[in-house]
């Protein structure tokens, strides 16, 4: 596997960074995970917009233009012969002086790597648990994929321990807001519902795609808060994530969830869209 | 400068880790920063206890015994001829499979590095600001020095931008709880006060030392919540941190703070203690 590191294409075992990189020291960076389908990164523009927003917020300068990044991404996909895969784009603040202050750290680290994608054939619907960890509501750092993911890791470890596929997290206001690595949707009154961005969730690119698809399908959508108890009483729920698109849930904390007939059309249209992306 | 990386002493430019190390990908790790004085790591035992607690919490196994780590730390101090310095000890979960799940990541990365210490002569008292970022109250991940430090970095960047030395952070309950890289103390009614651990603060080793020293000096101590407005009305405040010990504050958000006569005895005893440490 070849990896792109600061402008060079390197074999995996030479793809290294300094132990003084602030990404390693403090999680001082951000990333994107982008589905590559038919050799093309899906919704590249939307991913890059969020990435640029995050870099601006953290005041880390992106050392390549979006076009140069895309060209390198395409080269990486070709070199590795992985037209169906996941692309991870990571930007860290690089090496600086000791301590939290970001001043004098002006040589960022940019890495792109590919990961063989998960099977395109549907797996079983997911078993979900609710995590004991809480996400802060109204957290500005949540508006992009920052490299501080211990809460998500701990939540996911709880799911692993329970034999579940994904963990849902509540926020500090007590609402269920997202999965450790996915956005949450539920179906109620023939409406596709999802938490609003100020609840502290990641503004997922696939989340935005789902809302677009619902509009195309004529399905009403609504942003709302939901408690755990109310979530059990909906007509079904599903998750969205870049790697897999949309995935239905079968249980939540071992209680069965209904399967809504509104889900399959969304999944089918998502698949069609994945093949037609031109951005 | 030589650096300890997974059992090897390497020159700085060879001290590297994989771009797939979860420390770099997600901040999936923890660290300690320990003052080295007269060639010895100050309060080694307390630092290692916190470190072990954090590793247990994250379920990352520490690949060396505390004694082996101490021996390697002493060797690093001798090799670099830095008897007065700061030691950073970092443990990450190493390389695993893609995604947040920590399963299959069973080869942790351990790094120790030294940094020339700041001058022992007193600098001026610190100018403080309050950060616009909020720490979550009751956060279990705050009970050790985890590698997710974006909030602290952003707070410190706000201090830099204001020409201040340190930023204080409020927690989600609205209380002022700690500095970006320091614990907070204030003096009121001849009592040395500091926020309690459930407020979401790091249980600082130097914070614990200060509480010990107050007892030796016969100064009453109290753990309490404090609002920003109340903090302005105290008899003075100071910060504690491993690198510098205790540092008084002269202003908070550009408003002058009083200098308490209870502070100098604490600072003097801290210095004496630093030279006498046998743990």
């Amino acid at each position: 596997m070849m990896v792109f590191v600061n402008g060079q294409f390197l074999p995996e075992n030479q793809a290294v960074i300094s132990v003084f990189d602030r990404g390693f020291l403090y999680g001082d960076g951000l990333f994107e995970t982008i589905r590559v389908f038919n050799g093309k990164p899906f919704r590249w523009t939307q991913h890059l917009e969020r990435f640029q927003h995050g870099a601006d917020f953290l005041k880390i300068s992106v050392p390549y233009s979006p076009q140069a990044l895309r060209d390198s991404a395409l080269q990486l996909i070709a070199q590795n012969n992985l037209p169906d895969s996941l692309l991870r784009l990571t930007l860290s603040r690089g090496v600086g002086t000791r301590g939290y202050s970001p001043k004098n750290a002006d040589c960022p680290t940019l890495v792109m790597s590919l990961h063989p994608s998960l099977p395109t054939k549907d797996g079983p619907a997911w078993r979900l648990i609710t995590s004991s960890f809480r996400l802060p509501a109204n957290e500005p750092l949540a508006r992009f994929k920052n490299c501080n993911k211990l809460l998500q890791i701990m939540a996911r470890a709880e799911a692993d321990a329970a034999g579940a596929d994904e963990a849902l997290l509540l926020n500090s206001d007590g609402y269920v807001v997202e999965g450790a690595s996915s956005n949450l949707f539920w179906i109620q009154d023939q409406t596709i519902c999802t938490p609003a961005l100020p609840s502290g969730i990641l503004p997922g690119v696939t989340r935005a795609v789902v809302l677009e698809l619902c509009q195309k399908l004529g399905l009403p959508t609504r942003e709302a808060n939901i408690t755990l108890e109310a979530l059990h009483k909906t007509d079904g729920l599903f998750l969205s994530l870049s790697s897999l698109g949309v995935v239905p849930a079968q249980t939540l904390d071992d209680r069965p969830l209904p399967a809504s007939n509104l889900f399959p059309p969304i999944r089918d249209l998502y698949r069609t869209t994945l093949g037609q992306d031109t951005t």
Side-chain angles (χ1 to χ4, degrees), chain A:
Chain A
M1 183 80 73
M2 298 296 279
V3 181
F4 177 92
V5 185
N6 292 328
Q8 291 188 290
F9 292 87
L10 299 170
E12 199 168 333
N13 63 358
Q14 292 170 37
V16 294
I17 51 155
S18 168
V19 296
F20 298 111
D21 193 290
R22 292 171 59 93
F24 179 68
L25 297 177
Y26 305 126
D28 190 4
L30 72 162
F31 67 104
E32 290 289 330
T33 306
I34 309 173
R35 178 78 160 93
V36 177
F37 189 79
N38 285 344
K40 289 197 316 189
F42 182 60
R43 297 288 168 127
W44 172 264
T45 305
Q46 281 165 275
H47 279 286
L48 261 281
E49 279 170 7
R50 184 174 67 184
F51 184 70
Q52 185 65 54
H53 162 73
D56 292 345
F57 191 88
L58 297 181
K59 295 196 169 72
I60 304 177
S61 66
V62 185
Y64 305 96
S65 69
Q67 187 56 49
L69 280 177
R70 189 179 161 93
D71 291 346
S72 296
L74 293 176
Q75 200 176 331
L76 193 68
I77 294 162
Q79 278 196 20
N80 287 298
N81 192 25
L82 280 172
D84 287 339
S85 55
L86 275 179
L87 171 68
R88 175 163 166 144
L89 172 58
T90 309
L91 178 69
S92 88
R93 205 184 301 273
V95 176
T97 45
R98 199 201 69 79
Y100 297 149
S101 171
K103 72 184 167 196
N104 305 321
D106 43 19
C107 191
T109 300
L110 195 138
V111 176
M112 283 194 286
S113 58
L114 288 173
H115 306 263
S117 191
L118 299 164
T120 48
K121 210 172 143 237
D122 289 342
W126 276 1
R127 290 151 303 169
L128 309 178
I129 60 145
T130 46
S131 170
S132 68
F133 288 83
R134 295 283 172 275
L135 292 169
N138 299 305
E139 174 53 62
L141 290 169
R143 291 178 202 141
F144 55 93
K145 252 179 140 72
N146 71 62
C147 286
N148 281 194
K149 291 297 176 196
L150 278 173
L151 282 176
Q152 286 76 8
I153 289 165
M154 297 306 290
R156 182 54 201 265
E158 289 178 325
D160 290 349
D165 302 291
E166 172 67 313
L168 299 185
L169 288 106
L170 277 70
N171 72 1
S172 49
D173 292 335
Y175 298 111
V176 188
V177 289
E178 67 182 353
S181 59
S182 56
N183 283 112
L184 170 67
F185 288 85
W186 66 93
I187 299 160
Q188 197 158 34
D189 304 329
Q190 303 291 304
T191 302
I192 312 300
C193 307
T194 192
L197 300 184
S199 61
I201 61 168
L202 180 79
V205 170
T206 311
R207 175 184 179 277
V209 170
V210 168
L211 293 173
E212 270 177 47
L213 301 184
C214 289
Q215 197 164 15
K216 282 194 192 166
L217 290 164
L219 293 170
T221 62
R222 187 170 70 230
E223 292 190 334
N225 290 322
I226 194 157
T227 63
L228 180 57
E229 209 35 54
L231 201 54
H232 277 290
K233 294 173 187 156
T234 63
D235 299 327
L237 62 91
F238 65 92
L239 291 314
S240 69
L241 63 169
S242 292
S243 55
L244 297 174
V246 288
V247 182
Q250 58 167 296
T251 59
L252 174 57
D253 293 329
D254 291 324
R255 290 163 62 181
L257 294 163
S260 168
N261 60 6
L262 295 187
F263 176 72
I266 297 172
R267 183 184 53 200
D268 294 346
L269 188 52
Y270 175 81
R271 281 189 192 135
T272 310
T273 306
L274 189 60
Q276 291 169 340
D277 186 45
T278 55
T279 58

